[in-house]
Amino acid sequence: MYGKKLAVVAALSLFTAALGANVAYAQKSGGVLKAYHRGTPPSGSIHEEATNSTLTPYMPVMNNLVMYDQSIAINSLDTIVPDLAKSWSWSDDKLNLTFKLREGVKWHDGKPFTSADVKCTWWDLLLGNGGRKYKLRKNPRKAWYKNLKGVTTNGDHEVTFEFGRPQPAILTLLASGYSPVYPCHVSPKKMRTAPIGTGPFKFVKLKQNESVKFTKNTDYWKKDRPYLDAIEWTIIKSRSTRVLAFIAGKFDMTFNADLSVPLAQDVRAQAPTAVCERVMGASINLIVNQAKPPFDNANIRKAMVLTLDRKSAIQILSKGENRMGGAMSPPPQGVWGFTPEFIKTVAGFGPDVQANRVEARKLMEKEGYGPNNRLKVEVSTRNIASYRDPAVLLIDYMKEIYIDGTLKTIETSNWHATVARKDYMVGLNATAVGVDDPDANFFENYSCGSQRNYTGYCKPEMEKLFVEQSMMSDQKARAKLVLQIDKRLQEDAARPILYHNQNFTCKQAYVKGFVAHVNSLYNGWRMEDVWLDK
Amino acid sequence: MTDVDHQLELDKAGANINSRWDAVLHFAKNYPLAVGGIIIVIMFVGMAIFADVISSHDPVQTNASLSLAAPSANNILGADMMGRDMFARIVHGSRISLVVGVSSTLLGGIIGVVIGLMSGYLLGWFDLIMQRIIDIMQALPLLVLALVMAASLGPSLENTILAISIPLVPRVARVVRSSTLALREMPFVEAARAAGMTELRVAFRHVLPNTLAPLIVLGTAQLGSAILVEASLSFLGLGVPEPHPSWGRMLSENAAEYARVAPWLVIFPGLAISIVVFGTNLLGDALRDILDPRQRT
Amino acid sequence: MGTYLIKRFFLMLLTLLGMSVIIFVMLRLMPGNIVDIMFDSAGFVDPLEKAEIEKELGLDRPIPVQYFDWIWGLMHWDLGFSYVSEMPAAEELGPRIPITAKLAIMALGFSVLFGVPLGVISAVKQDTALDYTLRVISLSGLSLPSFWLALLILMFSVAVFNDIPIYMEPPENLLDELLLFSIPAAAVGFRSSALIMRLTRSSMLEVLRQDYIRTARAKGASENSVNYSHALKNAFLPVTTIIGIEAAFLIGGLIITETVFNIPGVAHFLVEAILMRDYPIVQNLVMLIALIVVTVNFIVDLTYGALDPRIKYGS
């Protein structure tokens, strides 16, 4: 019943979202949007962070060259619209991408925006060139621009990106909320503490554990935007408390994808007028340390993949709402993931878990394990419920194939360091990808030498396929190849995906003009079209 | 002094009684709250010892079909998010609480006794340094100290016990030291010394038994507060980690989030903590009354 | 008296100095530092970038150097910078201290208003049903996990009043502030009142037995005047002590309460800063708490002397 209702809601929201661009509202200006935030943002500098704690509140401060149409729920190459770039064009050899920039745009401190800002954002800051005195402290998305070989300006309002090989999908990365243009004259420290942008809202103040506030940019280059006078985020660390506060009507909006399935259910029951939209969260995956015996043994790794009961995990943790899939987010929200028909052809995803486990036990017995000689392993994971809960399930599933797991929880402060040191046997990890595009996902998580490729999976033939799909301009043909690549990744147990989380973003009915982007958490928060119908 | 008080109490409680049963009744009449406390504590300890017998469910066995199941004949206290039986988890959770409570009390108590005895006996530099360390330890509230300790040691059962036991040390050491100071001049202690007993033996034979009364009072109080501090640390994310069914952990994160959908997740572990701590407090109060009769008429 | 005061004062300084060493070393023993946490949101740790940030924050220097740097700063009223917000630690802590102070005073007031009268009643009506009931109520206050109680209050309030009494933005006037803080203060104060009530009760009992009370009774003073004026005055002494100790106990209780009610005071801040390994915040805050506790104890000692002429210092 509930599942059906959800599906209808999701379908309806997609429909209205698709229409969104054409529907003429009688928008009202003014008002303060009050939302809650889940914790103090680590900083205000989007380029230095890889978390929606920073991205969600700060995206309205900035502008991109291009962005995803804020009124369309599913991001793809087709939904990219101009932002600071008025237009863009590829050279004939598909190696150069030229942007014509908007004129008369001003940074929040009054300085003019020019092509030099674009060049220094990508060439100096992100690629670390140019010997500029300012450097980013952290640069988590360096891998996105591996193929960028140069940035040249032509006057104040034109800039060209030069690539080593054709990469049509680079636009999908540039359109992400993670790709804002930074001002050249502002130091990275200032960007972290009080960022300056060209966007519809100006940063006002951050109080740790209390609030972060933004006010309308009255001088915004898009003349009739934004509608809101201000956006105020109140920071509430305890999820139960903040959801109660939303139910009590204290907030206009929840944080980005903050609600799990049971919580969204609670909100719907208690605050029936609120509107909750389902969005794709992180994928929960297994990392197995192949350097540690006996996990260097392919049979044992295969047995571990076979014993996974994805359906029961999804049932337990999300009442059946989370989605089964491979590396790419599955449809209907995801553009590139396994379709329901295709998934049946992928090993280990079959419905008959018992049959899989019989096979898995045989593999284990072959390696000398059995009811009286059980393998003892430590399952490491981060000390956060969304990691811990599936880890407890994993231990349960491994029991079926003569493996006794004990849970080792690792504090957030140490989790990535532990993984980087390869100081674990079996780990449970969550991976969120900035953009629903294979270029972002494959190069970040499965490519040789990438920092986020935790298990060190590295196969030359796969590397070739990654590049091949990236160079294709026919997106339909590309999708077919991507399915095959993803299948290989799952069957190789590169990083077996247990499920894709489904989360919800809720707002009160009077909040209009906000469309939750369903296949990425990081692209739909410009907030310039949002208004309050009060 | 307290040895005499024991005698007084025994006389008082045991005046004109013949059978043991009468003694029990008499005690119950004089200390009704203590009896309540004793019953609760015995039930708690019994639950921890016989956990496997009391509950037929496995406290860590997950079950998809029972996720957030409401209380029923099969799961009398319902089931949690992972479909684990709440009754089994609460019954088994008593083990964690008991282990944390008793071990941290013993550990803190032993360290405190050793420091206190040595301070009171050796005096001089050792005493001076120990007193300063104790001052430092007492300059922070228990939870703050435990919080910093737990964070720097990392979350595990052993570290939680250690973090909770440390704040007990200065209190025990203070009590033991002052009793030692008072007792070492007593005639019977001097006599023992004159009879050729070594200082150490004198300390353990004569001084320690005489400080037992205040130590027992401190210990019972610590038992309850250890259980509470463990729960608080777990609530703040620094206590005993999963999959141990700790009561405090059961109340943190998930439980609070699903409290409205599944109130049994919050109500029962909270009740369990409250009742057990209440029991130890009742017992502690009564023991204080009995062993420290200045506070009673 | 004078020499005693000077001695006490130097011991206080010594305690604080020892505390500063211990907290400083303990923080650096913690697994993972702020830089690891910074990289957490990036999904990986870049060793080169990490080394640069550690250098920028001065974390690559030997621990004794870092320690003396901190103490040197403290002596010049320079608390350093919060690693998380990159703002001066004094600016981060300053606005939060009054919030916690107000909450603590309200909670202390509540626990005294609640604890002392109940303790007196309980002592006067010793061993009656009323005495037992009051003792059970006060003990139950000590036994409820404070976060559980707070959670139940929040859930109840949303279910019944469709309102949630948490801190969301700075209150506009004093009345609002008092209202906002009253529920969390009561939640903390209820717990602390148990200790106060218990001590009031036992010291009242002790005083009631003493000779001069018997004399007062024999002289025909009415029962009430004996109980409430003579006895209470004398029982006040130990109660003052416990109130002093309570002040420290309260700070512990406030950690949980501020967290649940989302109050942006220093106690809540301490937990967050520990989790974030924000050393400058944690070490300065811990020193502040220690300073408060030590000072309160000192003042309690002095009050003790003022209230009870039998006590002489210096022995």
Side-chain angles (χ1 to χ4, degrees):
Chain A
M1 241 332 262
Y2 173 63
K4 241 183 214 162
K5 217 158 100 194
L6 270 184
V8 171
V9 170
L12 273 178
S13 63
L14 289 186
F15 181 64
T16 45
L19 283 177
N22 305 322
V23 175
Y25 291 115
Q27 289 95 341
K28 294 178 194 161
S29 278
V32 176
L33 182 85
K34 289 184 193 251
Y36 69 68
H37 197 294
R38 63 180 179 186
T40 309
S43 84
S45 179
I46 291 175
H47 276 308
E48 294 200 39
E49 308 296 346
T51 167
N52 57 355
S53 283
T54 290
L55 185 116
T56 306
Y58 287 93
M59 188 172 157
V61 174
M62 313 305 296
N63 280 121
N64 290 0
L65 287 169
V66 292
M67 69 170 173
Y68 288 104
D69 187 329
Q70 296 292 296
S71 62
I72 298 178
I74 297 186
N75 301 161
S76 76
L77 200 52
D78 302 330
T79 68
I80 293 175
V81 295
D83 201 12
L84 284 178
K86 284 188 292 193
S87 64
W88 61 92
S89 58
W90 284 99
S91 64
D92 292 340
D93 59 3
K94 303 284 179 204
L95 289 176
N96 294 334
L97 175 61
T98 301
F99 295 96
K100 293 244 187 309
L101 304 179
R102 222 168 274 283
E103 289 165 34
V105 176
K106 284 200 174 95
W107 295 102
H108 293 160
D109 58 4
K111 298 235 165 55
F113 155 78
T114 69
S115 57
D117 293 311
V118 179
K119 179 174 179 184
C120 104
T121 302
W122 272 271
W123 190 241
D124 298 1
L125 284 180
L126 294 175
L127 289 178
N129 298 315
R132 193 159 163 264
K133 67 175 172 174
Y134 297 138
K135 271 174 79 180
L136 294 180
R137 260 182 178 178
K138 292 181 285 172
N139 190 358
R141 278 171 300 279
K142 226 184 282 177
W144 281 15
Y145 303 109
K146 244 168 133 177
N147 184 31
L148 181 61
K149 300 300 177 206
V151 180
T152 52
T153 56
N154 181 15
D156 274 355
H157 302 290
E158 192 177 305
V159 65
T160 301
F161 283 41
E162 296 158 12
F163 297 95
R165 60 166 172 82
Q167 190 181 4
I170 191 73
L171 280 166
T172 62
L173 305 184
L174 292 175
S176 163
Y178 272 137
S179 309
V181 181
Y182 267 26
C184 231
H185 60 281
V186 177
S187 74
K189 180 177 174 180
K190 170 96 174 145
M191 292 303 285
R192 290 194 295 270
T193 52
I196 299 277
T198 53
F201 292 89
K202 293 189 203 173
F203 171 81
V204 178
K205 193 165 176 57
L206 166 78
K207 286 187 191 162
Q208 281 192 65
N209 306 323
E210 194 174 341
S211 64
V212 53
K213 294 185 177 174
F214 302 88
T215 183
K216 179 180 191 161
N217 175 10
T218 48
D219 203 18
Y220 190 43
W221 53 268
K222 221 179 252 182
K223 279 307 159 221
D224 49 350
R225 297 287 194 286
Y227 297 119
L228 296 169
D229 287 338
I231 303 176
E232 296 183 2
W233 298 88
T234 301
I235 297 166
I236 303 181
K237 196 76 187 296
S238 153
R239 187 150 79 162
S240 51
T241 308
R242 61 193 189 234
V243 173
L244 281 178
F246 178 77
I247 290 173
K250 296 257 181 183
F251 293 108
D252 305 324
M253 267 185 101
T254 68
F255 186 67
N256 185 0
D258 189 52
L259 284 83
S260 61
V261 173
L263 282 174
Q265 210 176 337
D266 189 22
V267 168
R268 281 214 193 81
Q270 303 298 322
T273 56
V275 181
C276 293
E277 303 225 44
R278 170 207 292 264
V279 293
M280 188 68 78
S283 72
I284 298 295
N285 51 72
L286 208 62
I287 48 178
V288 181
N289 190 348
Q290 309 193 359
K292 279 209 177 155
F295 299 104
D296 50 346
N297 183 325
N299 277 339
I300 289 181
R301 291 203 305 270
K302 192 167 178 209
M304 285 181 56
V305 173
L306 284 173
T307 193
L308 297 181
D309 186 351
R310 295 182 165 92
K311 216 172 165 190
S312 99
I314 289 172
Q315 185 59 38
I316 289 190
L317 298 173
S318 69
K319 304 271 169 230
E321 298 289 335
N322 288 344
R323 297 250 194 257
M324 230 186 259
M328 301 302 301
S329 302
Q333 296 119 305
V335 177
W336 306 94
F338 292 158
T339 55
E341 295 78 47
F342 189 84
I343 207 165
K344 290 178 199 148
T345 70
V346 185
F349 280 79
D352 193 352
V353 177
Q354 292 318 318
N356 285 342
R357 284 185 180 158
V358 169
E359 196 187 332
R361 275 193 287 270
K362 275 191 197 131
L363 287 169
M364 292 297 289
E365 279 155 15
K366 212 192 273 172
E367 300 306 323
Y369 295 99
N372 301 317
N373 179 26
R374 299 176 69 87
L375 173 60
K376 294 208 177 341
V377 303
E378 231 171 33
V379 176
S380 303
T381 199
R382 210 168 148 168
N383 196 11
I384 295 180
S386 59
Y387 287 63
R388 240 177 11 232
D389 292 350
V392 171
L393 292 178
L394 175 67
I395 289 171
D396 230 32
Y397 300 150
M398 293 196 308
K399 243 191 243 166
E400 304 283 331
I401 56 162
Y402 319 126
I403 303 179
D404 287 330
T406 46
L407 187 66
K408 185 178 176 195
T409 50
I410 295 171
E411 285 309 290
T412 287
S413 49
N414 255 357
W415 171 238
H416 286 295
T418 309
V419 172
R421 275 201 312 275
K422 295 227 177 341
D423 185 15
Y424 64 94
M425 296 163 97
V426 176
L428 204 111
N429 191 44
T431 305
V433 180
V435 176
D436 184 22
D437 187 90
D439 275 24
N441 196 347
F442 292 160
F443 289 112
E444 238 175 79
N445 298 309
Y446 300 93
S447 172
C448 303
S450 161
Q451 282 166 309
R452 295 185 74 165
N453 181 1
Y454 306 121
T455 55
Y457 178 82
C458 177
K459 286 197 171 162
E461 71 267 27
M462 294 303 285
E463 210 69 15
K464 246 191 243 157
L465 288 174
F466 296 159
V467 172
E468 190 186 332
Q469 65 78 25
S470 171
M471 288 171 62
M472 292 167 86
S473 44
D474 177 356
Q475 298 298 306
K476 279 216 176 93
R478 184 177 175 222
K480 270 193 187 145
L481 180 58
V482 166
L483 278 180
Q484 293 303 328
I485 294 174
D486 202 349
K487 181 178 174 183
R488 285 278 303 271
L489 289 174
Q490 297 313 309
E491 291 179 348
D492 276 0
R495 206 154 139 182
I497 308 277
L498 202 52
Y499 53 80
H500 289 260
N501 267 324
Q502 300 285 298
N503 299 107
F504 292 80
T505 306
C506 298
K507 61 183 181 68
Q508 308 290 1
Y510 55 78
V511 177
K512 306 279 185 190
F514 177 82
V515 176
H517 287 194
V518 298
N519 60 339
S520 166
L521 305 178
Y522 310 104
N523 305 330
W525 290 83
R526 183 75 82 224
M527 306 302 275
E528 59 190 26
D529 304 319
V530 177
W531 55 284
L532 301 176
D533 193 10
K534 280 211 254 202
Chain B
M1 295 283 271
T2 17
D3 54 340
V4 184
D5 295 334
H6 276 310
Q7 203 48 53
L8 257 176
E9 277 307 311
L10 286 176
D11 287 349
K12 183 186 156 205
N16 310 319
I17 6 170
N18 303 317
S19 74
R20 274 193 190 158
W21 184 238
D22 278 349
V24 170
L25 280 183
H26 192 80
F27 177 81
K29 218 177 132 196
N30 274 354
Y31 303 105
L33 293 183
V35 175
I38 290 170
I39 291 173
I40 292 174
V41 171
I42 289 177
M43 278 173 58
F44 166 56
V45 174
M47 193 155 88
I49 295 172
F50 300 108
D52 295 314
V53 185
I54 295 172
S55 145
S56 52
H57 289 77
D58 179 346
V60 294
Q61 177 71 51
T62 62
N63 185 338
S65 58
L66 287 177
S67 178
L68 298 181
S72 65
N74 188 35
N75 307 94
I76 55 170
L77 300 184
D80 71 359
M81 172 87 169
M82 321 276 260
R84 298 176 293 198
D85 181 52
M86 283 301 282
F87 180 68
R89 289 181 69 71
I90 287 176
V91 169
H92 283 265
S94 64
R95 285 188 176 171
I96 304 283
S97 290
L98 186 70
V99 165
V100 170
V102 171
S103 343
S104 68
T105 306
L106 281 182
L107 187 66
I110 290 170
I111 302 175
V113 165
V114 170
I115 292 180
L117 273 182
M118 287 174 75
S119 274
Y121 244 93
L122 301 176
L123 295 174
W125 277 106
F126 182 84
D127 181 41
L128 208 66
I129 292 169
M130 277 304 156
Q131 288 310 303
R132 295 292 73 75
I133 292 178
I134 283 171
D135 275 349
I136 293 168
M137 286 164 81
Q138 285 201 316
L140 278 189
L142 190 139
L143 188 59
V144 176
L145 195 58
L147 198 64
V148 176
M149 294 266 313
S152 59
L153 295 169
S156 76
L157 183 59
E158 296 79 10
N159 291 343
T160 307
I161 291 171
L162 191 60
I164 296 174
S165 68
I166 296 299
L168 177 65
V169 172
R171 281 183 278 165
V172 172
R174 278 254 150 103
V175 170
V176 175
R177 178 178 175 272
S178 57
S179 304
T180 311
L181 282 179
L183 278 165
R184 58 180 291 167
E185 309 305 332
M186 296 300 270
F188 70 98
V189 174
E190 288 198 353
R193 209 179 286 136
M197 274 172 102
T198 63
E199 291 284 318
L200 205 66
R201 277 192 67 190
V202 173
F204 278 95
R205 265 288 180 72
H206 295 282
V207 179
L208 197 54
N210 282 299
T211 53
L212 216 53
L215 283 185
I216 288 172
V217 173
L218 262 182
T220 6
Q222 166 76 5
L223 198 64
S225 82
I227 294 171
L228 274 183
V229 171
E230 187 270 316
S232 304
L233 285 179
S234 293
F235 171 77
L236 295 169
L238 289 163
V240 182
E242 288 264 21
H244 296 294
S246 136
W247 290 344
R249 175 62 84 194
M250 286 158 82
L251 274 176
S252 68
E253 293 183 62
N254 273 355
E257 284 175 21
Y258 304 124
R260 294 162 55 82
V261 187
W264 50 92
L265 293 187
V266 169
I267 291 171
F268 297 123
L271 272 181
I273 297 176
S274 308
I275 292 172
V276 167
V277 176
F278 185 62
T280 60
N281 280 341
L282 279 181
L283 186 62
D285 249 25
L287 282 175
R288 186 200 317 270
D289 283 354
I290 297 167
L291 298 175
D292 190 1
R294 273 179 310 138
Q295 302 198 355
R296 260 195 96 81
T297 36
Chain C
M1 181 82 182
T3 45
Y4 173 80
L5 276 185
I6 292 168
K7 199 177 140 201
R8 268 300 308 253
F9 184 73
F10 275 105
L11 284 183
M12 246 172 79
L13 279 187
L14 200 63
T15 304
L16 289 175
L17 196 67
M19 174 62 81
S20 71
V21 175
I22 289 180
I23 191 68
F24 196 86
V25 174
M26 262 202 333
L27 281 180
R28 270 117 193 118
L29 286 180
M30 284 190 190
N33 66 17
I34 173 73
V35 189
D36 290 314
I37 291 182
M38 284 179 175
F39 276 100
D40 175 65
S41 59
F44 63 88
V45 182
D46 184 318
L48 277 178
E49 288 174 355
K50 183 177 165 178
E52 288 225 355
I53 300 177
E54 278 177 348
K55 202 173 154 196
E56 191 187 326
L57 299 178
L59 293 172
D60 58 335
R61 297 172 303 163
I63 287 183
V65 175
Q66 294 183 43
Y67 175 76
F68 285 112
D69 197 45
W70 172 45
I71 296 296
W72 184 253
L74 276 187
M75 293 196 301
H76 296 78
W77 296 109
D78 174 10
L79 306 185
F81 285 78
S82 158
Y83 290 160
V84 174
S85 69
E86 302 183 58
M87 302 293 281
E91 265 177 46
E92 288 283 1
L93 293 175
R96 290 181 162 85
I97 293 171
I99 295 177
T100 303
K102 281 177 209 157
L103 195 60
I105 290 169
M106 280 179 72
L108 196 61
F110 185 90
S111 61
V112 172
L113 281 180
F114 198 69
V116 173
L118 290 191
V120 172
I121 295 171
S122 192
V124 173
K125 307 276 177 207
Q126 193 195 1
D127 287 335
T128 62
L130 184 64
D131 175 31
Y132 284 120
T133 315
L134 290 177
R135 284 167 69 192
V136 166
I137 290 175
S138 100
L139 270 188
S140 70
L142 263 186
S143 313
L144 296 175
S146 46
F147 58 91
W148 189 60
L149 183 65
L151 187 69
L152 294 183
I153 292 174
L154 293 187
M155 282 168 57
F156 175 80
S157 155
V158 172
V160 177
F161 306 111
N162 196 29
D163 194 15
I164 186 164
I166 56 166
Y167 186 103
M168 302 224 306
E169 51 197 351
E172 278 164 18
N173 53 48
L174 191 67
L175 187 69
D176 278 359
E177 193 164 14
L178 287 177
L179 279 176
L180 184 67
F181 285 172
S182 59
I183 294 174
V188 184
F190 177 46
R191 228 177 114 61
S192 313
S193 68
L195 286 181
I196 292 185
M197 178 200 156
R198 194 193 265 190
L199 202 89
T200 311
R201 178 176 178 274
S202 57
S203 31
M204 271 293 282
L205 287 179
E206 197 178 338
V207 173
L208 283 175
R209 286 199 309 271
Q210 273 165 7
D211 292 343
Y212 64 96
I213 297 285
R214 286 196 201 132
T215 318
R217 279 207 189 106
K219 278 186 179 167
S222 82
E223 193 72 7
N224 274 345
S225 92
V226 170
N227 286 342
Y228 295 110
S229 76
H230 279 81
L232 186 58
K233 208 162 78 191
N234 285 284
F236 202 62
L237 187 63
V239 173
T240 317
T241 323
I242 198 85
I243 290 173
I245 296 169
E246 277 296 272
F249 184 81
L250 267 179
I251 297 174
L254 286 176
I255 288 182
I256 297 282
T257 309
E258 285 190 2
T259 305
V260 180
F261 288 93
N262 206 45
I263 295 167
V266 278
H268 181 188
F269 198 32
L270 177 68
V271 180
E272 291 299 312
I274 288 177
L275 293 176
M276 293 301 285
R277 307 289 185 267
D278 197 345
Y279 303 152
I281 299 291
V282 180
Q283 61 206 25
N284 288 316
L285 250 184
V286 167
M287 288 310 291
L288 178 72
I289 294 171
L291 181 69
I292 292 172
V293 174
V294 170
T295 315
V296 165
N297 284 342
F298 186 55
I299 294 172
V300 166
D301 264 16
L302 294 185
T303 333
Y304 218 89
L307 287 176
D308 188 349
R310 282 171 299 178
I311 294 174
K312 288 222 163 51
Y313 293 111
S315 54

